[in-house]
Amino acid sequence: MTDAAQTQNAKGHPGSFFAIAFIWCAITAVTLLGNLPEGYWTAWRNLTMVSTTVLGNLFGVATSGAGDVLTVNGFAMRIIRQCTAADYIVIVATAMLLYVRHGIGYRLLGVAVAVPVLILANAFRLLVTGVIGSVSVAAFNLFHDYLWVIAFALLVFSIWRFWVDGGFSISKHTIRRVGQVVAVSLAAYALLLIFRERYGTVLAATSSVFYRLLSHETLSAIILDGEVMVYRGEAVDIPLDNMMEQVNQAIYLGLMIPLQKKGDWQMVGMTLFGAGFIFLLSALLIAMGCVQAVTSGELGLLSFLAIGSVVHLALPMSTYWIVTSLRLPVPEADIRS
């Protein structure tokens, strides 16, 4: 058995080596996919639109697609790469294929099951979002920008958890663990949304510090303008992307908070350390995206976001794996229940 496999078995979950390899391989995969001919993404987009149309017909919802526009119940939506769930598939497939605790046959089976599940789930997401948009644009924005983002992230975690326990088992332990993570993540996300203006202002200010360090500009800043991060220079404003930072925090807290025990201050400290790490890395990525936008224009920003978004998708689980693998053994007597 390899050292990586021994570590995974000893801990019951991946460790820091796996987490770093996971992020590296995910970035590499997305970079390679980004260099594929445009026809590949056109075919992937068409698959997304066809699957949504078929699902819509099954449910009796008027659905059609033309070019890159999907129309659901009379509501038109432009389908871009981020709407195809391709990044989520990369995340799940990479994690499964790298997890050497299971044999290669079971890892391939996991990918074979997870990919169509995510494609169908994404079709359902687009269908429901389109129906909501046909009723209320404000509700569409809420579901599209917030609720579906965390729902899909939780779906990815759930698929991983049911798979990693072996045989896609639905044991009481797995159901309880998934339920805890979902419940705590949703509660944390709701809290972050309530305070999103204050939280976003601090995130923008931190991003500005990183941007000034990277660019040596002293008169420019990154600010929160409504719901959007904006680079404000001397003569130009450039909208940026916060790349799911609040979702990442919510998922990470959902993974860590259920592990807390009374008197276990080491776990409390590690949880806070991981949350701070996610916050600072998110601010750094926003600043780096801003540098790309200023120096290379919109195309440079989009190219960076294609990679940065995958880093963000992988960040909660990776941080969780790293933080818990660094935990020192704590005698039971030191943790009062």
Side-chain angles (χ1 to χ4, degrees):
M1 184 180 293
T2 65
D3 291 341
Q6 290 174 345
T7 300
Q8 290 171 15
N9 279 317
K11 296 291 185 181
H13 60 75
S16 55
F17 175 80
F18 177 92
I20 295 171
F22 167 58
I23 291 181
W24 178 261
C25 290
I27 292 174
T28 302
V30 169
T31 303
L32 293 175
L33 288 175
N35 291 322
L36 290 176
E38 186 62 29
Y40 168 83
W41 292 111
T42 300
W44 193 256
R45 182 193 66 208
N46 290 341
L47 173 63
T48 301
M49 297 177 71
V50 168
S51 59
T52 307
T53 300
V54 170
L55 195 63
N57 292 334
L58 289 175
F59 284 102
V61 179
T63 310
S64 62
D68 62 352
V69 176
L70 177 69
T71 303
V72 178
N73 206 34
F75 184 79
M77 301 178 290
R78 182 168 175 261
I79 305 301
I80 60 176
R81 171 179 167 174
Q82 286 75 13
C83 302
T84 64
D87 290 343
Y88 291 99
I89 289 173
V90 168
I91 291 297
V92 172
T94 302
M96 288 179 171
L97 292 174
L98 286 177
Y99 194 69
V100 296
R101 179 182 178 184
H102 292 309
I104 186 63
Y106 182 66
R107 283 180 269 167
L108 292 174
L109 174 63
V111 174
V113 172
V115 170
V117 167
L118 286 174
I119 290 175
L120 289 175
N122 188 54
F124 179 77
R125 175 183 72 90
L126 291 173
L127 184 66
V128 172
T129 304
V131 171
I132 292 172
S134 68
V135 176
S136 169
V137 174
F140 167 84
N141 292 332
L142 174 64
F143 274 79
H144 180 271
D145 295 341
Y146 297 106
L147 300 183
W148 276 123
V149 175
I150 191 167
F152 233 74
L154 288 171
L155 173 63
V156 168
F157 164 75
S158 300
I159 291 173
W160 162 264
R161 186 69 199 195
F162 284 119
W163 172 84
V164 82
D165 284 349
F168 286 100
S169 61
I170 308 180
S171 65
K172 290 183 179 179
H173 171 74
T174 302
I175 293 175
R176 182 171 62 252
R177 175 61 174 151
V178 170
Q180 288 174 338
V181 172
V182 170
V184 176
S185 295
L186 291 176
Y189 191 53
L191 190 63
L192 287 169
L193 289 182
I194 291 173
F195 295 100
R196 65 181 179 274
E197 184 174 350
R198 294 179 183 178
Y199 187 86
T201 299
V202 176
L203 181 63
T206 307
S207 301
S208 288
V209 173
F210 282 127
Y211 176 75
R212 288 165 183 160
L213 290 173
L214 293 172
S215 67
H216 305 293
E217 288 188 32
T218 57
L219 300 178
S220 301
I222 297 174
I223 64 169
L224 181 68
D225 187 0
E227 302 290 332
V228 183
M229 292 285 179
V230 175
Y231 163 79
R232 179 151 294 171
E234 294 184 54
V236 64
D237 286 357
I238 302 176
L240 305 170
D241 192 310
N242 63 5
M243 296 190 298
M244 300 174 57
E245 204 280 336
Q246 292 172 324
V247 172
N248 286 341
Q249 288 288 8
I251 298 294
Y252 170 74
L253 292 174
L255 291 165
M256 293 297 296
I257 288 177
L259 302 180
Q260 309 300 314
K261 293 182 179 180
K262 185 177 180 180
D264 189 355
W265 295 108
Q266 181 187 152
M267 181 62 75
V268 173
M270 292 168 61
T271 300
L272 294 175
F273 172 81
F277 171 76
I278 290 176
F279 179 87
L280 291 175
L281 183 57
S282 298
L284 177 60
L285 287 171
I286 292 171
M288 292 172 66
C290 185
V291 171
Q292 290 297 316
V294 172
T295 58
S296 304
E298 183 179 5
L299 184 59
L301 175 60
L302 292 176
S303 298
F304 176 80
L305 290 179
I307 297 176
S309 62
V310 172
V311 174
H312 269 263
L313 289 174
L315 196 54
M317 290 291 291
S318 298
T319 305
Y320 163 72
W321 290 330
I322 292 172
V323 167
T324 52
S325 70
L326 296 176
R327 175 179 169 80
L328 298 174
V330 179
E332 287 295 325
D334 292 343
I335 303 176
R336 298 179 178 86
S337 58

